[in-house]
Amino acid sequence: MSRDNIIGTSEEDFMEDPYSRHREKWPNVTKMVSRKARKICRVETIKNRIPVLQWVPEYKKEYFFPDIVAGITVALTAIPQGIAYAVVAGLEPQHGLYSELVPSFIYFFLGSCKDITIGPTAIMALLIQSHALKSPDFAPLAAFLTGIIILTMAILHLGFLVQFISIPVTVGFCTAAAMTIASSQIKSLLGLPGRGNEFIESWTSVFENIQEIKLWDTVLGVSSIILLLTLRKSKDIPKCKTFFKYLTISRNAIVVILGTLLAFLLSEYNGEVPFALTGSVAAGFPPFVAPPFTTVTVDNTTLNFQEMVAELGTSIISIPVVSVLEIVAVAKAFSLGKNVDATQEMIALGFSNILASFVGSIPLSGSFTRSALNNACGVCTTGGGILTGIIIILAISFLTTTFYYIPKATLAAVIMVAMFFMVDFNTLQEIWRTRRVDIIPFFVTLVACLVLGVDLGIVIGIASNLVFIIYDTARPRIQFKWIKVDNDEILVVTPSQSLIFSSAEHFKNRLMKKVIEQSNPNLLVVIDGHFVQKIDTTAASNIYSAVRNLTGMCRGMIFWNWSNQAQGAAWRLNKAFGALFRDATSLEELLRAVK
């Protein structure tokens, strides 16, 4: 091939250094990197990523008392919850307290929402449970990997991925998690033996050992539930509203303290306690060491890092995703309509998980219960978290011997009552009223989580929701409207959405079927593309194929109200096809132009 046959080239082009164009691009890349670096180093950017630098200079003395009250209240709830969630995760109680050490201080510096508290949650405990039962070392390793993944997602601005988890799937997952966690506590509430922690295993264990119910464990557990529900309603008492408000939000701590005091007094005066106790809690601070990358399981099998990761399996993905989903949901709930900086929340959550893994923590997320307490106390800044962290440090230092006397039935009651209110009945009603077919992904997620486990169940729930999306894309609604003008019949065909490869064949077949049914040479077919924003090659080819196949069976086909993108695709495919596209302000104007 000669040089003259190459369109658009000249002698100078052939004389050009082949690497010169690439060299010209490097200055642009350098400029772009330089701009990014300057943007990152700006004072505004630093303040946005370290929010404490924004609010500390503006701190007012009026904020001090609400922050103090919130810090104390959250700490009194965090301590029993931490112990309870460690039990749910299948770990020693002290691991729940270790999980509370770091996040309050991290969120003080990096948190962007004053109400949020980060810590162990019931769902995180449940997700790590099956692995922690094989070896406690899986908990801090999962926290470390979760932090790395979340921090990476924040740097790459991948927070939008949680938008692929719909409300029905989220509600189904949370409902299944609540049912699973509550079911796993039935044994402790009734004083039964058994190790089953999954939903089906828990109830199987209960029925197999039902004859071994302990009377006093049951009495204490049921009484604790009644007291928790009573204290929860005490906020509605019209007199002394402030007193009953704080009585309500401190209910978990009050019930645990009363149960612990009862067990201690019975031990002192009778020498024995008629119900099961939490047992010894390791005193002092945990060593600050890197999370374990090798472990020995309960069956004396040694696993290296790769084998531990393989054992974690889908949890490596599900735990970070659910953790981000939780904290973003909590942030939105307390943002009062303001924009939520999901990236900043992910940065705080990522660092919290990474650093907490060095003290033996389980994976962390945003706690809705404690965030609600913060909000109810009128917290003004994230400064309340500092006091929460200090109280937890004091508890680990001086109160671990007291934790020995916490009854298991009382902890079970605290967890079960919290799980009952985790089921969002109002959202279920809204789903049913809004679009009843969305109940299907809810039930698919719920059943899958209960039968197969929550980590695999949420994946199945997301997949079921995507199936609905794909089906809607492949089967768009098509409206057929018959109009008679003078003696001419007009069929107006209106697809409800853009046409792509998945819906192309369906649209072609429906169109051809309607026209063939009429077989009227006077029929004019008007295809209204008002809702069609774009078409792809497959859709254009199928529509043009329908036009050619229906030639002679009708008076003609006109494409009206189609976007510029769709018209351009049609013209590029075939000029005769493109000529069928018309623009008109009304159907009457279009018909006059055709005549």
Side-chain angles (χ1 to χ4, degrees):
M1 182 181 295
S2 67
R3 298 178 181 180
D4 294 337
N5 292 333
I6 302 177
I7 299 175
T9 59
S10 64
E11 189 70 26
E12 289 78 6
D13 293 326
F14 286 95
M15 298 299 293
E16 180 183 359
D17 180 358
Y19 299 102
S20 63
R21 294 180 181 176
H22 297 285
R23 291 196 188 100
E24 290 174 0
K25 292 180 181 179
W26 283 111
N28 294 330
V29 174
T30 305
K31 289 179 181 178
M32 182 181 70
V33 172
S34 178
R35 283 197 302 269
K36 288 286 185 181
R38 286 198 301 270
K39 183 177 179 181
I40 292 173
C41 295
R42 285 187 308 181
V43 175
E44 293 79 5
T45 303
I46 295 174
K47 285 185 176 181
N48 286 335
R49 293 305 170 218
I50 309 178
V52 69
L53 299 177
Q54 294 183 17
W55 63 262
V56 163
E58 301 174 0
Y59 196 85
K60 299 178 182 178
K61 61 181 180 180
E62 293 83 5
Y63 298 165
F64 186 72
F65 182 72
D67 285 353
I68 291 292
V69 172
I72 295 172
T73 305
V74 171
L76 292 176
T77 299
I79 291 170
Q81 275 193 346
I83 295 173
Y85 294 151
V87 173
V88 170
L91 297 169
E92 295 297 323
Q94 62 266 19
H95 286 278
L97 297 174
Y98 298 161
S99 302
E100 305 280 5
L101 278 174
V102 173
S104 296
F105 296 102
I106 296 296
Y107 201 79
F108 168 79
F109 291 101
L110 300 178
S112 63
C113 181
K114 64 181 179 63
D115 298 297
I116 288 182
T117 62
I118 293 178
T121 66
I123 292 178
M124 290 293 104
L126 182 62
L127 287 172
I128 197 61
Q129 178 193 85
S130 61
H131 309 295
L133 289 173
K134 296 177 182 178
S135 171
D137 291 336
F138 280 108
L141 178 62
F144 179 76
L145 295 176
T146 295
I148 294 293
I149 293 172
I150 292 175
L151 201 55
T152 303
M153 291 172 65
I155 293 171
L156 298 177
H157 298 283
L158 297 179
F160 71 91
L161 291 176
V162 299
Q163 297 173 5
F164 286 92
I165 306 177
S166 66
I167 290 177
V169 172
T170 303
V171 175
F173 169 75
C174 292
T175 302
M179 293 174 65
T180 301
I181 294 168
S183 298
S184 70
Q185 298 305 305
I186 291 291
K187 302 185 299 296
S188 297
L189 188 79
L190 303 179
L192 296 174
R195 291 283 296 176
N197 289 290
E198 296 294 335
F199 180 77
I200 295 176
E201 289 178 351
S202 297
W203 286 106
T204 301
S205 177
V206 168
F207 288 116
E208 286 177 350
N209 300 285
I210 195 71
Q211 69 280 359
E212 299 184 42
I213 288 180
K214 302 295 190 298
L215 174 62
W216 292 112
D217 286 276
T218 305
V219 170
L220 179 62
V222 173
S223 301
S224 297
I225 290 176
I226 294 172
L227 182 57
L228 282 166
L229 295 175
T230 302
L231 290 175
R232 191 176 191 275
K233 294 296 293 182
S234 65
K235 68 179 184 299
D236 299 329
I237 297 175
K239 294 182 178 180
C240 303
K241 284 190 175 182
T242 302
F243 170 77
F244 286 112
K245 170 187 172 181
Y246 289 109
L247 187 70
T248 297
I249 61 182
S250 303
R251 61 187 179 276
N252 289 338
I254 291 172
V255 170
V256 171
I257 290 171
L258 290 176
T260 303
L261 184 61
L262 176 62
F264 177 76
L265 292 175
L266 288 174
S267 175
E268 287 292 315
Y269 291 101
N270 295 337
E272 61 178 356
V273 181
F275 30 75
L277 301 178
T278 298
S280 299
V281 177
F285 293 99
F288 191 82
V289 295
F293 296 108
T294 60
T295 188
V296 178
T297 62
V298 290
D299 58 0
N300 290 323
T301 301
T302 301
L303 302 179
N304 58 29
F305 176 70
Q306 290 83 359
E307 291 169 332
M308 291 180 75
V309 171
E311 170 61 32
L312 287 171
T314 57
S315 297
I316 291 179
I317 301 300
S318 61
I319 292 177
V321 169
V322 172
S323 182
V324 171
L325 180 66
E326 274 196 291
I327 197 166
V328 171
V330 173
K332 287 183 177 179
F334 295 102
S335 64
L336 299 177
K338 298 178 182 178
N339 289 331
V340 174
D341 189 348
T343 298
Q344 184 60 35
E345 293 303 312
M346 290 164 65
I347 290 173
L349 183 59
F351 274 113
S352 295
N353 273 283
I354 292 172
L355 293 177
S357 70
F358 282 75
V359 293
S361 171
I362 70 171
L364 309 173
S365 185
S367 170
F368 194 91
T369 303
R370 279 171 270 173
S371 299
L373 287 179
N374 249 343
N375 181 266
C377 293
V379 71
C380 298
T381 68
T382 56
I386 292 293
L387 184 57
T388 299
I390 292 172
I391 293 174
I392 291 170
I393 289 174
L394 294 174
I396 292 176
S397 302
F398 304 109
L399 297 179
T400 49
T401 53
T402 305
F403 297 151
Y404 174 91
Y405 293 99
I406 298 177
K408 289 185 177 180
T410 300
L411 284 180
V414 169
I415 295 171
M416 291 179 71
V417 171
M419 292 308 100
F420 176 80
F421 292 102
M422 197 170 125
V423 179
D424 196 344
F425 296 103
N426 291 331
T427 303
L428 278 176
Q429 293 175 356
E430 291 173 2
I431 293 171
W432 180 256
R433 288 197 305 267
T434 306
R435 189 168 181 256
R436 293 184 179 181
V437 73
D438 284 341
I439 286 293
I440 296 176
F442 164 79
F443 276 115
V444 169
T445 306
L446 177 66
V447 174
C449 288
L450 293 178
V451 175
L452 302 176
V454 288
D455 52 346
L456 186 57
I458 191 170
V459 175
I460 294 174
I462 294 170
S464 70
N465 217 48
L466 291 177
V467 168
F468 277 85
I469 296 173
I470 293 171
Y471 181 83
D472 287 341
T473 303
R475 293 293 183 269
R477 292 186 298 276
I478 305 171
Q479 181 184 38
F480 296 95
K481 185 177 180 181
W482 299 94
I483 300 175
K484 198 157 189 178
V485 180
D486 297 332
N487 292 324
D488 293 332
E489 274 192 297
I490 299 171
L491 173 61
V492 180
V493 182
T494 309
S496 62
Q497 63 190 42
S498 295
L499 300 175
I500 57 175
F501 64 94
S502 58
S503 58
E505 196 72 29
H506 172 72
F507 178 75
K508 172 186 174 181
N509 293 337
R510 290 286 305 277
L511 176 63
M512 291 185 64
K513 182 179 179 181
K514 281 291 182 183
V515 176
I516 291 172
E517 283 176 356
Q518 296 300 309
S519 189
N520 182 356
N522 292 321
L523 177 65
L524 175 64
V525 180
V526 176
I527 303 180
D528 184 359
H530 179 75
F531 300 109
V532 180
Q533 297 300 315
K534 64 179 181 179
I535 60 174
D536 62 8
T537 302
T538 307
S541 298
N542 275 269
I543 297 171
Y544 183 46
S545 173
V547 171
R548 289 180 296 173
N549 291 339
L550 295 175
T551 301
M553 294 187 184
C554 60
R555 177 179 157 193
M557 299 180 70
I558 300 296
F559 293 83
W560 174 49
N561 271 340
W562 289 69
S563 67
N564 291 334
Q565 186 277 337
Q567 294 188 44
W571 275 103
R572 289 189 293 272
L573 179 66
N574 186 278
K575 291 182 180 180
F577 182 33
L580 299 177
F581 287 76
R582 305 287 182 87
D583 291 321
T585 56
S586 65
L587 183 60
E588 292 75 12
E589 181 183 332
L590 177 70
L591 295 178
R592 285 196 299 270
V594 171
K595 289 182 178 181

